[in-house]
Amino acid sequence: IKDIQEGDLILSLNKNNKQEYKPCITSGQTGKKQIYRYSFGSRTIEATSDHKVLTKSGWTTLGSLKLGDEILCIESLTE
């Protein structure tokens, strides 16, 4: 992520939760942050606690997740 620059194409979700490549609008560092490892079944996410994820209830941060919250992944959006 540190190598992403403005204009680089990044894979994202549009308003209809469909994948599309969009150009990076801005990039920058926000300082050093602790990285957490979150494990969900067979998947693992390594990110900061303020990293946004899509749940069945909408967008939230990893640090705001509660036991029982479900994070959506690309496969679950297409099923």
Side-chain angles (χ1 to χ4, degrees):
I1 289 179
K2 68 179 180 173
D3 297 328
I4 294 175
Q5 299 178 9
E6 290 181 32
D8 288 350
L9 292 179
I10 53 175
L11 187 59
S12 59
L13 294 177
N14 64 23
K15 293 178 183 177
N16 298 317
N17 291 330
K18 301 292 182 193
Q19 292 183 47
E20 67 180 1
Y21 284 94
K22 297 198 72 160
C24 176
I25 297 170
T26 186
S27 67
Q29 295 186 7
T30 59
K32 291 189 176 191
K33 296 181 183 177
Q34 186 168 355
I35 301 294
Y36 297 90
R37 178 177 289 136
Y38 300 86
S39 294
F40 309 92
S42 64
R43 298 187 181 263
T44 299
I45 298 172
E46 291 183 359
T48 58
S49 64
D50 61 348
H51 186 86
K52 291 186 178 181
V53 292
L54 183 58
T55 69
K56 287 189 172 185
S57 301
W59 289 97
T60 191
T61 60
L62 284 172
S64 298
L65 291 174
K66 297 180 283 312
L67 187 62
D69 286 345
E70 294 183 53
I71 294 177
L72 300 178
C73 63
I74 297 300
E75 289 85 7
S76 66
L77 293 173
T78 58
E79 291 176 351

